Amino acid sequence: MPGENLSRDEAQERAALLSVDSYDVSLDLRSAVGETEPGEASGEPRTFRSVTTLRFRCAEPGAASFADLIAPRVTAVSLNGRDLDPGEVFDGSRIRLEDLAAENELVVDAQCAYSRTGEGMHRFVDPEDGEVYLYTQYEPADSRRVFANFEQPDLKAPFRFEVRAPEGWTVWSNGAGELADGVWKFAETKPISTYITAVVAGPYHYVTDSYSRAFDDGTTLEIPLGAMCRKGLAPHFDADDVFLVTKQGLDFFHDHFDYPYPFGKYDQAFVPEYNLGAMENPGLVTFREEYIFRGNVTQTSYEARANVILHEMAHMWFGDLVTMVWWDDLWLKESFADFMGTFANVGATRFTDAWITFANRRKAWAYRADQLPSTHPITADIRDLQDAKLNFDGITYAKGASVLKQLVAYVGQDAFLEGARRYFKRNAYGNTRLGDLLSVLEETSGRDMAAWAASWLQTAGVNSLTPQVILSSDGRVTELAILQEAPESHPRLRPHRVAVGLYRRQSLREGGDGSLVRYARAEVDVDGPRTVVTELVGAEAPELVLVNDDDLTYCKIRFDEGSLATLRDALGEMTDPLARALCWSALWNLTRDGLMPARDFIGLVLRFAGRESDIGVLQMLHAWANSALVHYVAPDWRAEGGQLLAEGALNELRIAEPGSQHQLAWARFFADIASGEADLQLLQGLLEGTAKIDGLEVDQELRWAFLEPLAAQGAADESVLAAELARDDTASGKRHQVRCLAARPSAAVKAQAWAAVVESDALSNALVEATISGFAQPSRRELLAPYTAKYFAAIGRVWEERSIQIGMDVVRGLFPSLQDSPETLEATDAWLAAHEDAPPALRRLVLEARDDLARALRGQACDISAAG
């Protein structure tokens, strides 16, 4: 039989044959603590006992099928009371089931492996106190690493879990639990998919609260709330703010969805070494523990956490209550949750400017993904589980959410939300496809959703919208048109509902202050290559025309020559923060597309970023400026550009309001680009206390941020980093130390880091990520040159031998992007040509990295030409 990579065809065949009545899952996790097991020293995994009783029906008695399980050993298998030989029916990933009856009971007793990669039952030993913590993470298909099942989203069933755990531990699962006679037993769930079941176990710090909601029919809903983290993070855990956002979200979604939260309790676990941002397990949402802030952070971090909390909460309806049939329609949950996270953040919390963050940050992710060779329609063609794993991307999340934002503008918010309400009620605890949602939206809006879906959901690529302005002799608009373009690879022109804003500076002579403000606006439906905006004919001549003002649609904004000249001169005078964010995003897209020299973008950042009031936009500008310096400027200008950025950052750091979040953002950016001797001496002085910047608190997290550039430049050696770890002997400190160690400018260090990641699987997922991050330092490109050939020699073996998560981390993180030359491009092409039969998911990752490299080389060519 095929191995771990379940195909869509196999899933369809199994769903047509089987229906599942229930699961009883018994886990014995007492082996999580204690002495090393026999065999562990030689590389065998530590294991736990998993016993699953699975009851299901078969539409064709006598037929054969299979159950899914990835485990080192299976002790016993019985089907309908008949013992089967595990050696004959289990191949390492599947259990063969033959001669099925109309009603069946499968019992599987297995030894499953604890994970160190964040897939399945992850086991983490806290270096601070030696405590062990467990949690599960399954999406898309890793519950089979913990218990035997039918691992596909459309075979839903109720689950009952029971868990034996070490004494003194607490265990949580999807349902409410209680400890009786040494066994944690949990209430049966509603019918849910396997990938959203969950178990969290260990000596977690746990805080409780409650939520109450009275409905118009006189009923009241009571939801027990819980939040947990490792004991070592408890002093930093602001659970009150987590509960505040949670309650605000529950109120918001109850107001808009008209369907009470259906899963009983609502626990939220912040867990270590987590691969994702969070996971929407009903009743037990898991988050990466980095959302508990050990040091000072800007408002952007709190907004991001609130957005993730609300994103996962939206999944309780979009994804958990109603689930896609197969991963083709992943967007039915992820696009909606991404949209709803920001929609609720703006509508229910203190983060009322979250749409600015969405426009500036989330859509940047979408624009990049939609221009890769791997771009795909929002409703994707997912052939198998490896395809599914890679499709948790900027298309499915951010582009999908952007398109839904456009849909709200197209059909109206009331029709959109009424469609959602009907969708929940008709499909509760079931599975759906695209057509199920479109049908209710057609009912509520009266719009032709099939045509909309064909343009927005079933084709790939991003359109560009450019204004074309003709003025009369007396300075009035005689014609304003919007030109729509599409790339040759994805030539579809789409209907767009857009706002067009006209901007000009307020004249000082007329009592103004020189601010760049909007004085006219019109909404128009753009369709086809050229659309005339008649509503703005006769308006006074604009200095700037902003298409997609207010960010109603999904497109790349372009400028006419006059508008671009205005931005170069007066971007900092623009008063509206969303409009300003849209202009910055458009300028960055011009830079990435090789239409604006990267040094010009850096110049704009140096001139205007210090006046940026929105902290999220400012931090995005820092990231883009750094990326421009590393990838897009002419190589012989990097040193000068880096010096200019460091000088600019230090100046803004010194003049920023003491103790402000802007000061903190500039401090972190300064550390990111510091390389000169004076810069490094300042960082060293701030660490040692011999230098001071008024109001800047150098807490532990900022200390590590300052140490990384010192390590990368050879100014902080192993002993310094060891001393810092002794000061911060925590899990977070260990990750920081590992990253800094790998950053040191030594050929021996790079060889050691490479071997630790590529030649060994001893590191956990978090330390693999930290090592890769430290290894790839742009300030020492020459040390990485020998690894181009090694990379292409190794990736096939890594993909075959390691888990898909680690494979993705290695293939993406170690691609030789810093060897930005035509020779690296040729080496990539040679590997692709020689490995046409490589797994499609692996080829996709290499093709994406190749595209980024080719884009960087085009950007450098643009920058060289401008300097010429």
Side-chain angles (χ1 to χ4, degrees), residues 649 666-675 683 702 705-706 708-709:
W666 283 109
R668 288 188 169 276
F669 181 52
F670 174 67
D672 284 343
I673 46 89
S675 61
L683 292 177
L702 198 56
F706 289 174
E708 184 173 351

Side-chain angles (χ1 to χ4, degrees), residues 167-185:
E167 186 176 351
W169 277 24
T170 306
V171 184
W172 295 264
S173 188
N174 303 90
E178 61 180 5
L179 179 62
D181 299 323
V183 180
W184 290 88
K185 295 187 177 182

Side-chain angles (χ1 to χ4, degrees), residues 471-717:
L471 301 176
S472 64
S473 58
D474 63 348
R476 296 279 176 175
V477 174
T478 59
E479 184 175 271
L480 194 159
I482 298 175
L483 308 182
Q484 180 177 191
E485 297 176 288
E488 291 183 8
S489 56
H490 300 283
R492 181 68 173 259
L493 300 181
R494 298 177 178 85
H496 298 263
R497 181 69 177 175
V498 301
V500 181
L502 304 185
Y503 290 76
R504 66 184 176 199
R505 280 169 278 198
Q506 294 180 322
S507 170
L508 297 175
R509 287 180 299 176
E510 297 174 3
D513 59 1
S515 298
L516 186 60
V517 298
R518 186 172 70 192
Y519 65 93
R521 176 188 184 275
E523 284 194 25
V524 62
D525 289 318
V526 171
D527 199 0
R530 190 174 191 272
T531 301
V532 176
V533 186
T534 57
E535 296 88 340
L536 295 175
V537 171
E540 293 185 16
E543 292 183 80
L544 166 69
V545 180
L546 181 58
V547 298
N548 199 30
D549 207 354
D550 299 323
D551 197 36
L552 299 184
T553 193
Y554 171 78
C555 70
K556 287 199 292 187
I557 298 170
R558 301 300 200 202
F559 301 106
D560 64 298
E561 290 185 9
S563 296
L564 187 57
T566 297
L567 290 176
R568 289 180 182 275
D569 187 50
L571 176 55
E573 310 299 335
M574 182 171 269
T575 57
D576 183 82
L578 176 56
R580 201 168 57 242
L582 291 171
C583 290
W584 277 119
S585 176
L587 292 168
W588 177 239
N589 276 322
L590 289 172
T591 305
R592 290 190 73 247
D593 291 346
L595 301 175
M596 170 179 276
R599 69 185 67 193
D600 287 7
F601 182 83
I602 288 174
L604 290 169
V605 170
L606 288 170
R607 287 185 63 195
F608 299 125
R611 302 175 63 179
E612 180 54 57
S613 60
D614 187 284
I615 189 64
V617 173
L618 176 62
Q619 289 178 280
M620 201 73 225
L621 292 178
H622 290 162
W624 287 342
N626 201 0
S627 181
L629 181 68
V630 171
H631 297 294
Y632 295 107
V633 302
D636 61 4
W637 192 76
R638 283 183 188 136
E640 180 183 347
Q643 182 180 352
L644 290 172
L645 277 174
E647 291 172 354
L650 181 56
N651 179 63
E652 295 293 344
L653 171 59
R654 293 191 184 281
I655 66 175
E657 180 183 348
S660 68
Q661 59 182 347
H662 281 67
Q663 184 188 55
L664 177 60
W666 283 109
R668 288 188 169 276
F669 181 52
F670 174 67
D672 284 343
I673 46 89
S675 61
E677 183 177 350
D679 299 339
L680 299 177
Q681 287 177 350
L682 176 59
L683 292 177
Q684 189 72 55
L686 290 170
L687 285 169
E688 295 173 351
T690 57
K692 183 176 176 61
I693 293 176
D694 187 29
L696 182 66
E697 179 187 352
V698 184
D699 58 29
Q700 187 59 62
E701 287 295 295
L702 198 56
R703 288 184 64 85
W704 285 114
F706 289 174
L707 273 167
E708 184 173 351
L710 291 170
Q713 297 294 337
D717 61 18

Side-chain angles (χ1 to χ4, degrees), residues 122 166 861:
H122 188 80

